[in-house]
Amino acid sequence: MERGGRRVSRGMLPLLALHAFNEYYRLPWKPPVTAALLATNTLIYIRPAILDSLLPPIDQVWFNPHLILKHRDLKRLFLSAFYHVGESHLVYNMMSLLWKGIQLETSMGSTEFASMVVALVGMSQGITLLLAKSLLLIFDYDRPYYFESAVGFSGVLFAMKVILNSHSENYTNVYGFIVPARYAAWAELILIQMFVPGVSFLGHLGGILAGILYLKLKTGYSGSNPLTMFIRGVTGALRWPSRFVRYLFRRQRISGRGTVGRTHTRGTLPSTWRCQACTFDNSGWLNMCEMCGTNRSGNELPSDSGVISLEELRRRRVERFG
């Protein structure tokens, strides 16, 4: 999350697109939710003409605790996470999202990952708002936190880092410092605040606390995640039309040219009958097998032995179909 500033174009978006393409190209399974998050954040920053009239300007979505509580502005509370003040801000966050999102979505599944992202957005923004208000009420410390304006996805990224490294016993490199992976988010919080100007300390801290809270809730709650069930239901409803169309246009051979060699299943229509000589499913309107010419009644064969040789069957097929 970054505080208000001037947007400066540095031509870094092609680098982001190339990096994302290379990462997805080498993956056997392409995580769709991570790709959707990348596209959403990038499109909101680019603001193409078709979306420009639909997207509120950044001045209306700054995360400002004073304005959110004064006007009860939920738009600032939630939309601010998807806005960025510059290309370097966007590209840095999206590179981090690409790496963390691929690992988490691959291990959790798309539905669970989507529900986690929704929860982390709400919790990280809510905790940041609560921290800013607490500093004002308890310590009478209103600047710069209570009146500062910030945007960015980094609060959610800090929460993802906590979740990703929660059970890791390895060490990782954080800006040149080797620290235990489970404490990497705390080390990055301090180092970024020391060396990177214009970042929101409360926004990043709120993200870390949101990740810890999510893990606590996940561990203490053994039932099904209601948010995950809701997202699964929505995606199932969205997929229903395509499944219905595939069902309507799937290949079903009923009149005369049925399937050959399959056993009689529940899905076979009662108006069909199977030739015992060649196992061809024929229409109930036919009295003679369309494939080999055997009579339907008792499936009696015209030959003396009661068995058709392969040569005879081949000859009849050639005569029948030319």
Side-chain angles (χ1 to χ4, degrees):
M1 187 173 287
E2 190 163 322
R3 292 203 298 267
R6 182 183 172 190
R7 294 178 61 171
V8 179
S9 175
R10 299 180 182 177
M12 300 176 66
L13 289 180
L15 175 64
L16 172 63
L18 180 61
H19 182 68
F21 176 80
N22 288 335
E23 288 293 323
Y24 267 78
Y25 180 77
R26 65 182 182 83
L27 293 174
W29 178 72
K30 324 299 181 186
V33 178
T34 300
L37 288 172
L38 289 168
T40 299
N41 281 272
T42 305
L43 288 174
I44 288 177
Y45 176 80
I46 296 175
R47 298 181 69 89
I50 192 173
L51 297 177
D52 188 61
S53 60
L54 302 176
L55 296 173
I58 194 171
D59 292 336
Q60 297 180 10
V61 298
W62 289 109
F63 183 91
N64 185 298
H66 171 68
L67 296 178
I68 292 174
L69 295 176
K70 180 180 179 181
H71 303 292
R72 298 181 180 178
D73 194 347
L74 296 180
K75 177 177 60 179
R76 293 179 181 271
L77 183 64
F78 295 107
L79 292 184
S80 58
F82 301 95
Y83 279 70
H84 295 81
V85 296
E87 285 191 15
S88 59
H89 186 206
L90 172 71
V91 171
Y92 181 83
N93 280 353
M94 294 303 100
M95 291 283 196
S96 179
L97 171 62
L98 183 65
W99 183 76
K100 296 180 178 70
I102 287 176
Q103 294 187 72
L104 288 171
E105 187 173 357
T106 302
S107 61
M108 301 172 65
S110 296
T111 304
E112 186 73 22
F113 177 72
S115 68
M116 183 196 72
V117 171
V118 173
L120 292 180
V121 170
M123 288 194 296
S124 62
Q125 300 291 81
I127 291 175
T128 303
L129 182 64
L130 182 62
L131 290 174
K133 187 65 175 179
S134 299
L135 288 174
L136 176 66
L137 295 178
I138 300 175
F139 301 102
D140 195 23
Y141 189 75
D142 55 353
R143 293 188 181 277
Y145 299 122
Y146 190 66
F147 291 96
E148 80 171 3
S149 298
V151 291
F153 205 70
S154 54
V156 180
L157 295 175
F158 269 89
M160 287 185 181
K161 182 185 285 287
V162 171
I163 296 170
L164 187 62
N165 296 326
S166 60
H167 300 292
S168 176
E169 300 294 338
N170 298 325
Y171 286 79
T172 186
N173 188 316
V174 180
Y175 299 107
F177 295 90
I178 305 300
V179 298
R182 64 176 61 186
Y183 302 120
W186 292 102
E188 187 173 354
L189 170 70
I190 297 172
L191 293 173
I192 286 181
Q193 193 66 29
M194 291 173 58
F195 299 110
V196 181
V199 297
S200 173
F201 175 77
L202 281 191
H204 294 169
L205 178 60
I208 293 177
L209 296 179
I212 296 174
L213 178 61
Y214 180 85
L215 289 174
K216 295 292 185 182
L217 294 175
K218 191 76 173 175
T219 304
Y221 182 69
S222 59
S224 300
N225 188 343
L227 189 57
T228 302
M229 296 177 62
F230 173 76
I231 294 177
R232 187 176 289 117
V234 171
T235 55
L238 293 176
R239 291 173 183 169
W240 182 85
S242 61
R243 291 200 303 265
F244 181 70
V245 171
R246 287 199 301 268
Y247 172 78
L248 290 179
F249 291 95
R250 70 180 182 179
R251 193 173 182 179
Q252 294 186 8
R253 305 178 68 178
I254 299 175
S255 57
R257 290 181 173 81
T259 55
V260 178
R262 295 183 182 178
T263 58
H264 186 80
T265 62
R266 185 178 179 182
T268 306
L269 296 179
S271 59
T272 62
W273 59 276
R274 173 157 298 175
C275 176
Q276 293 184 0
C278 65
T279 71
F280 188 80
D281 291 337
N282 295 272
S283 171
W285 298 99
L286 301 176
N287 291 321
M288 182 177 293
C289 178
E290 192 175 19
M291 180 63 72
C292 65
T294 303
N295 193 337
R296 175 182 181 180
S297 178
N299 286 332
E300 294 177 353
L301 303 175
S303 61
D304 295 336
S305 63
V307 179
I308 297 179
S309 65
L310 292 178
E311 287 296 330
E312 177 66 15
L313 180 60
R314 187 179 296 110
R315 184 186 65 80
R316 293 186 181 185
R317 287 176 175 172
V318 171
E319 291 180 354
R320 179 67 176 169
F321 300 106

